[in-house]
Amino acid sequence: MVVEPVNPQYRIVEIFESLQGEGYNTGMPAIFIRLGKCNLACSWCDTDYLRFELMSLQEILGRLKSYSARNVIITGGEPTIQLYLNTLLNALKAAGYYLCLETNGLHPAPPQIDFVATSPKACYAAKYAQSCIATADEVRIVADGDVLAFCEQMECKIHAKHFYLSPCEQNGIMNIYDTIRQIGLLNSRPNAPVHWQLSVQTHKWAGIE
């Protein structure tokens, strides 16, 4: 049996305070803890999740004390593949933080999480056919091509309150027209089981992290 360290270390890309820029909680003040490494490798990913430093649990908790927000967004990379994640989450809950998770949805969300935002990736549809998160608060899918069939599959596999389609940005170009076109097609289906909305990265427009 592996003995967990008393003060485990985590792969930290960055920790910062800002506003949530996308999805249902847009505008929510939050502390972002961005963890390194991922179990996917999307060509359009805007996070350099392979550049990180090791920080101990106590160092992370100390850093958070310098911020005023009481919401913490655990993001990545992919948080659910991190060693000792439960220890970090338990410490954050004990400190009174509201915990949000941003995950690609290949693994279930830990029980300590208060709000789950999952972003299944259509370019890895075969993986999601085998394993996928069952419940979430919101689903955000990036329109990195024709994702209509994938969206319909995720509607069936994930029980969520909110469904969003997000434009894909590559080389500074955002496919906003194609994204809203696909939203229209999804919502115009007879007896569509869910209502899809647009989610954009408003923090980029606002010039914040």
Side-chain angles (χ1 to χ4, degrees), residues 171-188:
N171 302 317
I173 299 174
M174 187 183 299
N175 64 337
I176 186 69
Y177 176 84
D178 188 56
T179 302
I180 60 175
R181 179 188 65 82
Q182 293 192 68
I183 290 174
L185 290 172
L186 287 166
N187 290 335
S188 63

Side-chain angles (χ1 to χ4, degrees), residues 116 118 132-139 153-163 194:
V116 179
T118 184
C132 183
I133 196 170
T135 60
D137 291 281
E138 69 177 53
V139 174
Q153 293 166 13
M154 294 301 99
E155 290 173 343
C156 297
K157 294 181 76 70
I158 306 174
H159 182 266
K161 301 169 187 171
H162 311 282
F163 286 80
V194 304

Side-chain angles (χ1 to χ4, degrees), residues 139-158:
V139 174
R140 297 199 304 252
I141 293 176
V142 174
D144 58 343
D146 182 349
V147 297
L148 293 173
F150 185 70
C151 289
E152 292 179 344
Q153 293 166 13
M154 294 301 99
E155 290 173 343
C156 297
K157 294 181 76 70
I158 306 174

Side-chain angles (χ1 to χ4, degrees), residues 20-47:
Q20 170 62 282
E22 55 190 321
Y24 182 76
N25 289 319
T26 293
M28 180 183 74
I31 303 165
F32 291 77
I33 300 178
R34 189 178 301 283
L35 297 165
K37 293 200 175 181
C38 189
N39 52 353
L40 298 178
C42 304
S43 61
W44 40 263
C45 183
D46 59 2
T47 297

Side-chain angles (χ1 to χ4, degrees), residues 10-16 32-38 46-55 60 63 75-78 82 209:
Y10 298 89
R11 299 184 290 255
I12 300 295
V13 175
E14 57 184 343
I15 298 176
F16 61 96
F32 291 77
I33 300 178
R34 189 178 301 283
L35 297 165
K37 293 200 175 181
C38 189
D46 59 2
T47 297
D48 190 355
Y49 51 77
L50 295 179
R51 292 175 63 90
F52 55 82
E53 62 177 313
L54 293 176
M55 290 182 65
I60 295 170
R63 174 79 67 85
T75 185
E78 175 50 43
Q82 306 301 316
E209 285 192 86

